[in-house]
Amino acid sequence: MSKISLIIQREYVTRVRKKSFLIISILGPLLFIGIRFAPRLIVASRSEHQRVVVVDETKTLCGVLESNATVNYDYGYCNIDVNSVKKIFADSGHVSVLYIPKTEQIMEVKLFSKSDPGDDVVSSIEYQMNNILEKAKMKAENLDQAMIDKVKSHVKVKDIVNNKIANAGYNAGLGYACSFLIYIFIFLYSMQVMRGVTEEKTNRIVEVIISSVRPFQLMMGKVIGVGLVGLTQFLIWVILGFAVFSVGSSYIQSKEIDPKNALTEQTYKMGAPEQNGSITTVNTSNLDAANDTDDGLDNMLRATNWPLVVGGFLFYFLGGYMLYSALFAAVGSAVDQETETQQFMLPVTMPLILSIVVMGSIITNPHSTVAVWFSIIPLTAPVAMMARIPFGVPIWQLGLSMVLLIAAIFGAVWLAGRIYRVGLLMYGKKVTYKELGKWLFYK
Amino acid sequence: MGNIITAKNIVKRYSSHVALNDVSFHVPEGIIYGLLGPNGAGKTSMIRIINQITAPDSGEVLFKDEKLTPRHAELIGYLPEERGLYKKMKVGEQALYLARLKGMSKADAEAKLKAWFIKFDIKEWWDKKVEDLSKGMAQKVQFIVTVLHEPKLLILDEPFSGFDPINVEIIKGELHRLKKEGVTIILSTHNMASVEELCDNITLINQSKAVLEGNVNELRHSFKEHNWQVKFKGDDNAVKTALNGKFELLDLTPENNLSVARIKIPEGQNSNNLITALLPSCSIMGFSEILPSMSEIFISAVKRTNPTK
């Protein structure tokens, strides 16, 4: 067995055996799902208790507003003087008093609470009141419901790129998810490389090891070993995430049996896969999902160029990691203790953070100058290019970006190797950038 | 026997200083060789060059007349001065890893490690984590790892630091045994007593230069100042009169019911003349030449080469 594979094996095995690896492997997907569903859960749990006592001087809305998940209306005090009602509930935390003063037209109502009931409650009340008042007014003007429905329009833009149904929102979501994963992965595992290097240095085991293997072998062994740990982690996430997702969605499906949805799905399955979202597919989706706001997720999944997205993801995922972990290894070797890494971290992490900062603008405008440059410059390309790929990227830009990234990896590994072999044996010295520069030229 | 290591005109510069300035020496095969020098003299730089951890700016190192290449690393065992182990790794697992990095097969390394663990009576540590070991225990493990792959050349930088006297004796015993088996040992140390006890040859590096090289006994003879120690029974004053200005009395101290005089023999005189001069005045109980200790040689050589401050 060659020495570098021994090193890779040690780096891999010691990390995968750690408890923290197991915990992150399990918690990771749960966290993602949590982020996805947390807002709904929070809303649902918080608003259950909001009791709204209605005091209605107009006598028009008493008993009309309907309690829902957010607000629970109480009409027991409808005709009592507002000030005495306020006094009754002055000290109740989860009770608000809705006061509708007597006016010609209801323009403003007041909601008295001890603690802020939150936006959801306020907007729920506004929405219901507006709806009810609108309908009342229309009735007064002799407009019937059928007429109103006829007047309302529902225009939807079908975005068709290269004869495939596209969806900017969906592409943005895909791009965002992929780039964000790459960003997290690079950060998480490059830091592990750095920490490992500093650990070996402070442990003072490094001199024994580099009397057996070259510093470069040790560095690359660590980079590759930790990278494999990351890949393993990612695979576990994908498998676990997929399992949880399919269990979850089958649970949801069993709860809301919708014959129209079932039919839609069957139609898609019957359609030949080569059709690639051609006119027929568009038609079926138009027919079946006439007022479907979701726009047929299946359709879009088929429209995405999966080989490109998956290939691009793996390339930028691994390439970005290689580039940054080499640089982080150099940082780790230049200092004596982990706490001293700060001074060299900033320039290394800057491009990465910058690329996540501009990601929003890249996704809203994937072909802007900023987006193009960020996706070509190697230090920002992994995150920036991945955000663009789902929208479609000119082949020359993709090619240039990949070639430059590979070149940058070689450059970074060379640079890091030069700093690393000197840094490992430097103790008790506060290293400056000037010094780092000199190390490059040591024999 | 030939030389296992030949260093030729080694120069190593760092940004702010020169660590080694034209250093040459050779280490004959099968001996214990001392690499001496004050702190910061360049010993560690030299050792790292022999271990191919760093490369010299100019000059070359030969291993048995071949230019040093990475494949020689497996023939060398190195115990650095600043040594450590992975804290979170188990002792046995870690020793196996380090042995395999030196090119041993897994089965071979495991069998030999087990034998060493029994020999050093540390069998029960195999599955312990390194962080649970005391410093001395960890040092034992490191020594085993250094010699496990049966290197032809052993380089030990301050090997006795951190050991209690009992373990120092165990390690010294191992070094003597290894020497008998034909292993060459390069020892870098500040402990001059152990140099006199263990080393056959030395090189003294001071201020980036090799200032002294040779056999320990020969060096001690070449540095001698013709001082002799005389133990006698008799009247101190009679002895002083007998020396009569021809010999210089350095000091005179009583010891039990004897007297001990240290006397310098000037040029033109010899030890027989001294005995002849002393015979009438006292009865001589002991007569021996005083050889300088390595510590004295070290200090005088360092002083000689340092510019006067």
Side-chain angles (χ1 to χ4, degrees):
Chain A
M1 195 186 249
S2 81
K3 286 175 183 176
I4 191 158
S5 56
L6 269 172
I7 296 167
I8 293 171
Q9 194 188 359
R10 195 201 81 86
E11 297 293 340
Y12 183 82
V13 170
T14 52
R15 282 188 170 75
V16 169
R17 270 199 314 214
K18 275 188 193 164
K19 279 196 195 90
S20 57
F21 178 82
L22 191 72
I23 291 167
I24 294 174
S25 295
I26 294 169
L27 286 188
L30 290 181
L31 207 70
F32 275 112
I33 289 163
I35 290 167
R36 176 86 172 74
F37 293 112
R40 282 189 214 173
L41 290 175
I42 289 166
V43 168
S45 69
R46 192 185 58 183
S47 344
E48 251 169 78
H49 306 290
Q50 194 63 34
R51 189 173 146 209
V52 174
V53 177
V54 182
V55 176
D56 183 11
E57 291 180 353
T58 63
K59 313 273 190 271
T60 50
L61 289 164
C62 206
V64 178
L65 294 166
E66 274 176 41
S67 295
N68 55 24
T70 322
V71 187
N72 190 13
Y73 293 103
D74 181 346
Y75 297 111
Y77 304 83
C78 238
N79 302 317
I80 304 173
D81 172 55
V82 67
N83 285 322
S84 41
V85 176
K86 267 166 71 185
K87 246 176 232 155
I88 297 170
F89 296 105
D91 286 324
S92 315
H94 284 291
V95 181
S96 304
V97 176
L98 178 66
Y99 171 53
I100 308 167
K102 192 167 178 64
T103 43
E104 186 81 1
Q105 268 199 348
I106 299 172
M107 293 294 287
E108 193 182 82
V109 300
K110 290 194 172 97
L111 190 67
F112 301 101
S113 314
K114 187 165 182 266
S115 56
D116 192 346
D119 264 355
D120 294 334
V121 171
V122 172
S123 52
S124 167
I125 296 171
E126 279 176 353
Y127 180 77
Q128 272 208 46
M129 287 184 73
N130 283 333
N131 248 352
I132 292 166
L133 293 173
E134 248 173 42
K135 276 189 184 147
K137 281 181 201 162
M138 286 189 271
K139 219 172 180 178
E141 301 286 337
N142 276 328
L143 291 168
D144 69 343
Q145 189 62 41
M147 180 82 122
I148 294 162
D149 287 345
K150 221 169 145 186
V151 171
K152 270 192 183 162
S153 44
H154 299 273
V155 174
K156 288 222 76 167
V157 175
K158 285 262 179 213
D159 187 8
I160 297 172
V161 180
N162 288 334
N163 289 326
K164 288 175 195 170
I165 296 181
N167 180 305
Y170 165 77
N171 283 341
L174 185 62
Y176 189 87
C178 288
S179 318
F180 199 72
L181 263 177
I182 287 178
Y183 171 80
I184 296 261
F185 179 83
I186 289 176
F187 238 112
L188 215 60
Y189 288 95
S190 300
M191 292 288 243
Q192 280 210 26
V193 170
M194 184 183 78
R195 227 170 283 139
V197 171
T198 315
E199 186 204 349
E200 275 171 358
K201 197 178 160 182
T202 41
N203 269 353
R204 311 266 179 166
I205 194 176
V206 71
E207 200 165 343
V208 174
I209 294 178
I210 59 176
S211 71
S212 309
V213 301
R214 290 164 167 277
F216 189 74
Q217 285 176 306
L218 180 59
M219 187 181 91
M220 287 317 285
K222 192 174 280 294
V223 166
I224 295 169
V226 173
L228 289 176
V229 174
L231 215 55
T232 309
Q233 182 115 72
F234 182 71
L235 255 145
I236 294 175
W237 283 1
V238 168
I239 293 166
L240 262 181
F242 195 75
V244 169
F245 189 79
S246 48
V247 167
S249 55
S250 69
Y251 174 76
I252 289 166
Q253 267 178 8
S254 71
K255 281 215 124 182
E256 29 183 276
I257 304 160
D258 184 345
K260 205 207 281 170
N261 262 357
L263 186 76
T264 317
E265 237 177 49
Q266 255 183 358
T267 324
Y268 289 155
K269 274 179 193 146
M270 278 155 62
E274 292 84 36
Q275 279 182 321
N276 274 342
S278 63
I279 300 301
T280 37
T281 325
V282 176
N283 285 342
T284 47
S285 98
N286 276 342
L287 277 175
D288 293 334
N291 33 3
D292 183 9
T293 49
D294 207 25
D295 221 342
L297 190 67
D298 263 3
N299 228 357
M300 272 172 310
L301 289 179
R302 290 176 42 148
T304 305
N305 185 348
W306 283 110
L308 182 69
V309 170
V310 172
F313 181 78
L314 283 177
F315 180 84
Y316 285 105
F317 185 79
L318 294 175
Y321 164 74
M322 285 290 284
L323 179 64
Y324 276 97
S325 61
L327 295 176
F328 273 98
V331 171
S333 73
V335 297
D336 282 3
Q337 276 167 6
E338 220 184 298
T339 47
E340 293 167 25
T341 50
Q342 295 302 331
Q343 58 159 335
F344 297 118
M345 286 267 288
L346 191 67
V348 178
T349 51
M350 207 47 159
L352 201 56
I353 292 169
L354 205 63
S355 57
I356 209 84
V357 167
V358 299
M359 194 162 85
S361 103
I362 290 176
I363 280 171
T364 47
N365 196 350
H367 303 294
S368 66
T369 320
V370 172
V372 170
W373 278 109
F374 266 74
S375 59
I376 285 174
I377 295 168
L379 283 169
T380 53
V383 172
M385 184 56 100
M386 204 52 229
R388 291 180 65 204
I389 284 180
F391 295 98
V393 178
I395 197 82
W396 70 267
Q397 286 179 12
L398 194 62
L400 183 64
S401 161
M402 285 182 161
V403 168
L404 283 180
L405 181 58
I406 289 171
I409 290 169
F410 278 102
V413 165
W414 178 83
L415 193 85
R418 305 288 289 181
I419 291 175
Y420 182 81
R421 85 213 144 101
V422 182
L424 282 184
L425 299 169
M426 290 282 173
Y427 288 100
K429 228 161 105 177
K430 197 109 173 107
V431 178
T432 59
Y433 284 106
K434 201 175 146 195
E435 193 128 11
L436 284 187
K438 282 182 186 158
W439 290 2
L440 296 180
F441 304 104
Y442 278 176
K443 240 190 169 179
Chain B
M1 261 205 272
N3 294 324
I4 192 158
I5 288 289
T6 312
K8 285 185 186 167
N9 311 99
I10 302 293
V11 178
K12 179 76 186 170
R13 276 182 221 95
Y14 291 107
S15 51
S16 52
H17 71 289
V18 180
L20 295 167
N21 186 2
D22 198 22
V23 172
S24 301
F25 64 91
H26 57 93
V27 181
E29 212 173 333
I31 67 160
I32 300 182
Y33 194 93
L35 199 57
L36 317 180
N39 290 325
K43 290 175 306 214
T44 302
S45 295
M46 191 62 231
I47 287 175
R48 283 180 179 163
I49 287 170
I50 299 175
N51 276 300
Q52 301 175 80
I53 290 169
T54 51
D57 291 319
S58 66
E60 62 170 355
V61 178
L62 303 181
F63 189 98
K64 287 189 177 176
D65 302 324
E66 289 170 39
K67 202 163 168 22
L68 208 57
T69 61
R71 75 189 161 79
H72 288 120
E74 290 175 8
L75 301 173
I76 300 176
Y78 175 40
L79 186 67
E81 181 177 7
E82 298 286 357
R83 45 195 177 244
L85 297 164
Y86 290 111
K87 288 203 180 72
K88 302 273 176 201
M89 237 177 143
K90 285 177 184 166
V91 174
E93 208 178 340
Q94 178 152 203
L96 258 182
Y97 171 63
L98 293 171
R100 292 178 73 195
L101 282 184
K102 278 285 183 191
M104 293 179 86
S105 75
K106 193 175 177 186
D108 188 26
E110 201 161 340
K112 282 185 177 142
L113 265 176
K114 292 246 158 89
W116 272 99
F117 271 53
I118 290 166
K119 184 176 186 178
F120 273 20
D121 201 21
I122 54 172
K123 225 174 29 195
E124 63 277 14
W125 297 356
W126 186 274
D127 276 325
K128 272 195 187 172
K129 280 189 179 174
V130 170
E131 58 189 351
D132 299 330
L133 302 186
S134 72
K135 193 183 174 199
M137 288 167 157
Q139 298 264 40
K140 267 189 183 177
V141 175
Q142 277 155 349
F143 182 80
I144 293 173
V145 170
T146 312
V147 299
L148 189 74
H149 61 291
E150 296 172 352
K152 293 274 167 278
L153 174 65
L154 208 54
I155 302 176
L156 311 172
D157 200 348
E158 291 295 351
F160 305 120
S161 71
F163 276 119
D164 61 46
I166 296 168
N167 283 326
V168 167
E169 283 314 306
I170 294 176
I171 301 297
K172 278 183 182 167
E174 284 304 320
L175 295 186
H176 280 301
R177 184 186 62 77
L178 287 164
K179 183 188 165 188
K180 244 181 236 162
E181 287 172 5
V183 177
T184 313
I185 300 164
I186 295 179
L187 200 66
S188 168
T189 181
H190 287 128
N191 184 340
M192 291 302 143
S194 63
V195 172
E196 277 169 38
E197 186 187 340
L198 291 168
C199 293
D200 303 296
N201 286 21
I202 61 126
T203 279
L204 177 64
I205 296 179
N206 187 35
Q207 296 198 328
S208 321
K209 285 183 176 162
V211 292
L212 208 60
E213 186 189 0
N215 179 280
V216 170
N217 279 328
E218 287 167 12
L219 280 173
R220 290 180 73 187
H221 275 280
S222 70
F223 269 77
K224 71 185 172 189
E225 290 170 321
H226 304 282
N227 295 342
W228 292 75
Q229 176 182 280
V230 183
K231 282 186 186 177
F232 63 88
K233 205 183 249 179
D235 182 21
D236 289 352
N237 283 325
V239 168
K240 281 179 190 164
T241 322
L243 292 174
N244 195 22
K246 276 192 258 178
F247 303 94
E248 189 188 337
L249 180 66
L250 298 172
D251 54 37
L252 187 66
T253 46
E255 188 186 290
N256 299 327
N257 45 8
L258 298 177
S259 294
V260 180
R262 294 203 304 137
I263 298 162
K264 186 176 183 71
I265 299 177
E267 261 182 77
Q269 299 284 1
N270 60 35
S271 51
N272 279 0
N273 295 347
L274 176 60
I275 294 172
T276 318
L278 287 174
L279 274 178
S281 64
C282 63
S283 50
I284 295 170
M285 310 299 289
F287 191 79
S288 60
E289 187 169 20
I290 302 170
L291 284 177
S293 68
M294 279 315 291
S295 175
E296 286 165 321
I297 294 173
F298 181 96
I299 292 166
S300 77
V302 167
K303 275 191 182 151
R304 200 180 57 201
T305 47
N306 281 5
T308 45
K309 279 172 189 160

